[in-house]
Structure formats: C-alpha cells, structure tokens
Amino acid sequence: MKESNQTSDVDRVSSSSGRRKFLKFAGAAGLATSLAGCGGSDTNTTTTTDGSNGGGSGGQDTTTSDNPDDISGVNFEYWDVHHSQSEAARQSVQGLVEEFESGTGANLRVNYDSVGNSAGSKWINAFQRGDYPNIITGFSHIDGKYMDGGWIKPFSEYKDNFSQETLDGIEWILPVIEHASRMYDEGIMGIPFGFEPKNPFIARIDHFEEAGLDPEEDFPPKNYEHLIEVATTLQEDGPGEYGFQIWGTASDWLEVSNPMAIALGGTDGAFLNEAADDTNIDNDTWVQNIKNWSEIYTKHGLSSGGTVNANDETAVALMRQGELSMTQVAPANHPSFMEQARDMMMDGTLQWGPMYNEPSGQRGTFLLATMAITRKPEQTSQEEWAPKERAAVQFVEKLLSKDFQRSLQQNYGYLPVRDDVWDDASDQVEGEDSHHFSESLFTMAEEIDVAWSFHPKQRPAMVSPTPHMQKVLQGDLTPEQACKDAAEEFRNTIL
C-alpha cells in the first residue's frame, strides 16, 4: 500500500461532469412532491459450514474444451453479502446464479454470508489459510483489508476480457474508483456493480400536510437550519412523536452525520484526509458537524429518547406506525420500505428526497457496492485455478449486464453503475412517480464527487468514533472533546 498518493480535484470533478446526463430524464433538480447500513443483516445464512472452500476449488473441473470462453463443467465459488439487503435482493442473486449456470454450463457454489462476517474475522481467517473463493462481493469501506493482504486481483489484469460495451458503460466511474483506491500501487482492484449516494431523506408527507407545511417547499430540507425548522414544526404541530430521527449505534451514527459533514465542508467532511494517512474527525468541519448533529437530540429534542442506541433498521416500523415523521437512511432500505410499507410508498404517503448540498455544493458521499476477483492461493495450481478465473470474469461481467443493472434499484436500493442504462433506470422502479426514490438518488449523484475509500482502515475510521459520539448524545462530552478523543484513539491504536 502506498504511503500517500493525492489525486487532484480535477480528476474527481471530471467524473462528476460526466454524470450530467444522469439527470436528463428527471427534469428539474428539485423534487416535484405531488402529492427508507449499509449493509444488511449480520445474520449468517451461508451455505457452507465454516466459510471455506478448500482454496476455491469447489470440486474438480470436468471441462476439456480448448475454447477459453467455454466454462461448461467448471466449478467455482462466490461469496455474497448483498443478498442480505432484502428478500428481493436474495431472490435476485439466486435468479442470476441460476441463469448464469443455465447459460454457461458452469457450476457456481454461492456462500450467502453476512456483512458482519465479511467485515469481521471469519473471512479474513479463511483468506489467511488460503481457503477462499474466486469472487467476493462487499463494500468499498470493508474491502481494503483484502486488498492490503494481496488477495485481490487488479482490475487491469482482467478488464480486457470484458466487452467494449461493458467497459464503456462503467468508464464514467473509473476516476471515482481510482480516487477511492489512491493508497494502492496496483490501482483499481475492487469494482462496483452498484452504488449508493449517502444518504437521502425519507418522510411522511401526510405529516407535513397535517402540520401545515407545504411539501413542495419544505421537503426535502434545503440546509441544516431549514431541517431544524421543518422538523420542529412536524413535531410540534404534526401527528408524529418525533420530527427527525438520528441514529447512535456503531454502523448507523454516520447515516445522518456523514452526509451532513460532506454538505458542510466537502472533502473535509470525509473520514480520511486526502493523503489517506490520517483521520479528519477532529478538523473544524467535523467539530461543527458533530455539534449540529448532536443538537438535533440534545438541544432540539427532535429525536427519540432511545437515540443513543437507535439503529436505522427500525425506521420502517417507526414511520409506518406514524411515530416518526422524517429521517435519513441508506438507499438499501428502499426494498424493505416497499416490502413492509408498500401501500404508503405506492400512494406517496412515504416519499424520498435528496440530501441538501449547502454550503459546500456536495450532497454526501458514494458507498460502492463492490465485487472482486481473487488471486490464486499458493497451494492451488495454476492449471486448476485458470478455468475458475475465466468463469469468475464471466460472472462478474454478468453482474454488469444491462438486464441485471436495470434491476438494482428495485431489488437492492443501489443505482446501476453502467451509465448506458440510466435513461430507463427509473422505469424499473415500481411506484417511482409516487415515492421519488430514483429521482432523489439521481439528484444526489450529480453532486457527489468522492466515495468511501478502499483504505484498510476506512471502516475503523468510521466505526471507532461511535462511543465518543454516544457520550456527546448523553451529555458527557462536548463535541470538541469527543472529536479530539476519537482522533487520538484512531492515531494511537488503529492507524
């Protein structure tokens, strides 16, 4: 891993300007309101007993063809975490695998595992034993430890096996991935098949109306001050108990605070600095941001009494029951909203709205939903590994196929990474004219230039401040002291 390697703002802005066509079908940037950690459950639903596969072997291959594109009879393995976003996501993965096997004759063994096992020690232990699959999926803020361990194959070593159409479709996001991978000499290793702009608002529009607010003018909030004003009116004059919920648990405290930090200070609101060699958590932007974020609860009382231990998995129930009027959650929650509050989504009672961009001009950050092809374990022969790798490349391209990309918003809550399906992407989202999910994400995507990085310490940089921020919510620390303590802990014990 590089000590540091800065990428210019010009590189990042070029990727943003290339996204302008992303919105050409959506009309004005603001929502016409006529009228849902990342990351899924940590419950392990793996199909294997110990997360292992004997060095990715998955059994002996039976193929004897000399055609390099023929993978019939090849046995290979894939570890997936994205299925855990929703039942729709799991069914989508299962359908894709069945379709791939039927079309190629290959045999793909899938380990339906959890984000917790990917982020924790289970997968790492298997990789350290050389006991891992041919493909993994994950997220940019988790994947770095696998790259740092030397287990992930650089994109440059297999991208020429993709069709030109596929490469053209993902070209726009390459500068974003390069910036997120700036700490590695090998360049891009993990590539996204989808991404989340983090994080949009979701609100009970009927609560706005009952509180005397105008949804077309007051949703989504235009800036932090407007957010406090609207949420206060919702709580005081509307039917809900809480005007705006923030979350306090380890993976969720940042669902609101990080978008707010980016909107406040641009890249100064990222968790890692531009050189990717230090945390930003104690800079002026973050200190002011934690003050703003915590005061939603401590000063304004707009968030529930259980905020310190609240997680965004409760958002659907709270909003469906009418206790909560507005919050911010990850787009990956959209399928759950559609499953558990379908009627409200379909009639526009629940609506999404983009994160505000004042004063920095940035609406948040990208979470990259990634996939990666692994390097050959030492104990596995090249003869055995080569056909599996060919099969892995073909399956990765299947994840980038137009049909699968078009299904991402509905089934996963992710935006498609291929820009050649954007024009008709919202047509695949059921109820879009009512809940505005797709339009909200498109608006945000136009004004986001950076993603959570692939640095192996990215996730610790995000999670380790949690107890310090909880103490702010409990009134035991000032924002300044909490940011200072979090930065010292990161530098002394993590970095």
Side-chain angles (χ1 to χ4, degrees), residues 414-436:
Y414 303 152
L415 286 179
V417 74
R418 284 185 66 143
D419 66 0
D420 53 357
V421 304
W422 288 344
D423 285 350
D424 61 354
S426 63
D427 294 339
Q428 306 294 316
V429 180
E430 187 180 17
E432 169 62 22
D433 290 344
S434 297
H435 54 64
H436 305 295

Side-chain angles (χ1 to χ4, degrees), residues 170 173 177 190-195 368-371 400 405 417 454:
I170 65 173
I173 202 171
I177 312 172
I191 58 173
F193 64 91
F195 64 100
L368 304 178
T370 57
M371 53 195 171
L400 293 171
Q405 289 281 295
V417 74
F454 289 100

Side-chain angles (χ1 to χ4, degrees), residues 170-381:
I170 65 173
E171 182 179 10
W172 76 273
I173 202 171
L174 294 182
V176 176
I177 312 172
E178 288 167 356
H179 182 257
S181 307
R182 63 193 182 275
M183 61 289 308
Y184 297 108
D185 292 324
E186 297 89 343
I188 296 173
M189 287 184 275
I191 58 173
F193 64 91
F195 64 100
E196 286 185 349
K198 296 185 72 71
N199 271 326
F201 292 99
I202 188 165
R204 285 284 300 258
I205 297 302
D206 56 331
H207 287 200
F208 276 70
E209 295 166 345
E210 292 187 48
L213 294 165
D214 182 353
E216 293 193 15
E217 293 295 325
D218 294 316
F219 183 74
K222 299 176 177 65
N223 50 46
Y224 175 76
E225 291 75 18
H226 190 216
L227 168 63
I228 298 301
E229 176 187 334
V230 169
T232 299
T233 301
L234 284 169
Q235 186 160 306
E236 292 179 351
D237 300 334
E241 294 184 36
Y242 305 106
F244 186 77
Q245 180 71 47
I246 61 175
W247 316 101
T249 55
S251 296
D252 293 343
W253 76 276
L254 48 82
E255 298 290 9
V256 176
S257 64
N258 192 208
M260 286 177 57
I262 297 290
L264 179 64
T267 54
D268 284 343
F271 284 98
L272 295 177
N273 65 0
E274 184 63 18
D277 61 3
D278 197 8
T279 178
N280 275 333
I281 199 69
D282 59 344
N283 67 18
D284 291 343
T285 291
W286 268 103
V287 170
Q288 181 61 50
N289 177 62
I290 294 303
K291 181 177 185 294
N292 293 345
W293 169 77
S294 62
E295 286 183 350
I296 293 172
Y297 173 65
T298 60
K299 178 179 179 179
H300 302 290
L302 298 171
S303 192
S304 69
T307 289
V308 175
N309 295 308
N311 66 78
D312 73 347
E313 293 178 359
T314 64
V316 181
L318 290 171
M319 302 196 81
R320 186 183 66 237
Q321 296 163 7
E323 295 179 43
L324 175 60
S325 297
M326 182 170 56
T327 189
Q328 282 173 277
V329 294
N333 286 281
H334 177 73
S336 294
F337 274 96
M338 289 296 290
E339 291 167 2
Q340 301 173 40
R342 179 181 177 82
D343 55 340
M344 292 182 175
M345 297 294 285
M346 295 300 289
D347 67 13
T349 299
L350 279 167
Q351 293 187 25
W352 295 93
M355 172 62 185
Y356 56 78
N357 64 352
E358 296 182 12
S360 74
Q362 292 288 305
R363 293 188 184 271
T365 186
F366 287 143
L367 165 64
L368 304 178
T370 57
M371 53 195 171
I373 293 177
T374 57
R375 293 184 182 273
K376 181 184 73 64
E378 290 184 5
Q379 70 268 31
T380 304
S381 70

Side-chain angles (χ1 to χ4, degrees), residues 26 30 39 79-80 97 112 128 152 176 249 261 307 353 355 420 425 464 492:
W79 290 1
D80 180 79
V97 170
Y112 294 101
Q128 289 172 343
I152 303 302
V176 176
T249 55
T307 289
M355 172 62 185
D420 53 357
S464 63
N492 294 336

